[in-house]
Amino acid sequence: MSAYPKMSLGDFCETGSGGTPSRANTDYYGGSIPWVKSGELREEVITDTEEKITERAVKESSAKIIPKGAILLAMYGATVGRMAFLGIDAATNQAVCNIRPDPKRADSRYVFHCLQSQMNHFLGRAAGGAQPNISQGIVKETKIPLPSLEEQQRIAAILDKADALRRKRKRARDLVNSLSGELFVEMFGECKPNSQRWPLSTVAEMGNVQLGRQRAPKYQTGKFRKPYLRVANVYEDRIDTDDILSMDFNDRDFRDYKLDYGDILLNEGQSTELVGRPAMWRSEIQDCCFQNTLIRFQSDRSRVLPGFALGLFLQYFRTGEFAKISSKTSNVAHLGAGRFGLMPFPVPPLSLQHEFVKRVAVCMKMKELCRTDASVTNKLFSSLQTRAFSGQL
């Protein structure tokens, strides 16, 4: 239980959201005003943006300049619930809620740290189906412990120092995570679809392309229950087995949809920037199948090693090639097994592929060490936050 009184954010914070200037008006873009989109809430402190808008865009559209020191929260989309601290004056799009504490009553950094520790609260209250959303009403109703301003500043200073160490570890982990991609480019080039460096085939010619099994009530009898993967389990170069669902797969379906070591899984339906996100199945659990929100690629190993195929698909994903060929339905982009199968597939010599896979194995060991270190660091930081907001720091 917190030793500090709790207050609703709406009692001491102003909130709002931004807008997207019309793309049809070229005078609105290419200016000097940073414009934050929800997808940019990857960093904990925003110091620059991918796009800039003009002063005219601010005057004539729903975009508004938000002062430095505001707290940004993604209200919907793939990054729903993610937060960042605004380190510059900037405008935002409509998917971003800005939270501006009254400086006489609350320290922005304190509020930011406190809200970060309550991300599960926001996600738990998010409404909607495939694309849940957080309303400004939910934000205003959220209560946080609020000690004196002096005590807030003391707590924020301690958490800032601890968080700086945590972010240094994260930067080191990000550098390690980028090694395999850089190694791929070094050994094979960028491998763009129109590249002529290596003999070209197609994805479908170099292996088997298959959509997973549809989820339906008739597969929930419990008679042939097996675990299966869905989009929520397939991240960039990583399978997450913390939240595995199950449904019926009879003997025939189990033969058709059972995952084998080395299968590459790609997100078939996702937001545009995440469609095609690939990872390799490394038999993390036994007898696992996959849903039709995923596409499986099983390489012809006489010509293509699974490790090379994963490296190529990661390159396509990171350079936006999957997003280019995807189709859009409402807020979801679809890769499409047919379109994916027709994509160009460069085929370097197997000897070079083997060398790449061997080097990537070293990178994987380094990534696992970094992941373990990050897990310990995050747990320690979470414990520190709990003590801080309960008056034990």
Side-chain angles (χ1 to χ4, degrees), residues 49-64:
T49 58
E50 296 170 353
E51 286 189 276
K52 306 285 195 304
I53 59 175
T54 62
E55 291 184 8
R56 182 179 173 186
V58 173
K59 291 177 181 177
E60 299 179 3
S61 76
S62 55
K64 300 178 182 66

Side-chain angles (χ1 to χ4, degrees), residues 20-296:
T20 299
S22 172
R23 292 284 183 182
N25 194 327
T26 56
D27 292 337
Y28 286 169
Y29 292 87
S32 59
I33 299 172
W35 184 56
V36 184
K37 302 185 287 292
S38 59
E40 293 181 86
L41 304 189
R42 298 180 294 266
E43 299 297 330
E44 291 187 359
V45 180
I46 301 293
T47 57
D48 198 6
T49 58
E50 296 170 353
E51 286 189 276
K52 306 285 195 304
I53 59 175
T54 62
E55 291 184 8
R56 182 179 173 186
V58 173
K59 291 177 181 177
E60 299 179 3
S61 76
S62 55
K64 300 178 182 66
I65 296 180
I66 309 304
K68 173 182 177 180
I71 298 152
L72 304 182
L73 169 69
M75 294 191 291
Y76 56 86
T79 56
V80 62
R82 194 170 295 178
M83 277 171 273
F85 190 82
L86 189 57
I88 51 175
D89 291 348
T92 72
N93 74 358
Q94 63 275 13
V96 177
C97 175
N98 63 80
I99 304 166
R100 290 161 283 125
D102 178 350
K104 295 180 180 178
R105 303 179 64 187
D107 180 84
S108 290
R109 291 297 300 172
Y110 170 86
V111 176
F112 173 68
H113 283 300
C114 197
L115 292 180
Q116 265 199 324
S117 72
Q118 296 196 34
M119 186 176 289
N120 288 336
H121 160 81
F122 287 119
L123 294 177
R125 295 199 62 188
Q131 293 290 338
N133 62 85
I134 298 168
S135 68
Q136 288 191 52
I138 290 173
V139 174
K140 291 178 180 179
E141 292 169 3
T142 299
K143 292 185 176 183
I144 66 169
L146 202 69
S148 68
L149 186 57
E150 183 180 5
E151 179 68 358
Q152 291 177 48
Q153 291 167 343
R154 184 186 74 85
I155 291 172
I158 294 172
L159 292 177
D160 277 346
K161 288 180 181 179
D163 196 34
L165 293 174
R166 190 169 66 110
R167 281 188 278 118
K168 284 181 180 179
R169 296 285 181 90
K170 181 181 181 299
R171 282 196 293 272
R173 187 172 77 250
D174 290 343
L175 287 172
V176 171
N177 289 343
S178 69
L179 284 177
S180 58
E182 292 174 1
L183 180 63
F184 184 91
V185 173
E186 178 185 323
M187 294 183 67
F188 304 109
E190 294 186 353
C191 282
K192 294 181 178 179
N194 59 356
S195 172
Q196 299 298 317
R197 181 171 179 179
W198 308 105
L200 281 178
S201 184
T202 66
V203 170
E205 289 171 344
M206 300 310 295
N208 182 50
V209 176
Q210 181 188 11
L211 272 171
R213 220 271 302 277
Q214 183 180 12
R215 185 183 180 187
K218 65 180 180 179
Y219 300 131
Q220 296 295 339
T221 68
K223 293 181 180 179
F224 309 100
R225 191 163 293 278
K226 299 290 184 184
Y228 70 91
L229 297 188
R230 61 199 197 283
V231 164
N233 303 115
V234 179
Y235 289 80
E236 185 176 347
D237 198 15
R238 177 173 67 88
I239 301 290
D240 186 345
T241 57
D242 287 342
D243 181 22
I244 296 289
L245 302 182
S246 60
M247 62 177 164
D248 297 343
F249 289 86
N250 61 27
D251 289 345
R252 185 187 65 186
D253 284 350
F254 183 61
R255 286 194 301 271
D256 289 342
Y257 298 107
K258 179 181 179 295
L259 291 169
D260 296 319
Y261 190 99
D263 288 356
I264 311 300
L265 294 165
L266 305 96
N267 289 181
E268 195 285 322
Q270 254 288 13
S271 55
T272 303
E273 71 273 15
L274 298 178
V275 70
R277 184 170 62 183
M280 182 187 291
W281 177 249
R282 294 182 171 88
S283 299
E284 284 83 351
I285 58 176
Q286 289 185 335
D287 295 341
C288 191
C289 301
F290 66 110
Q291 189 190 1
N292 67 341
T293 55
L294 299 172
I295 297 174
R296 172 170 67 179

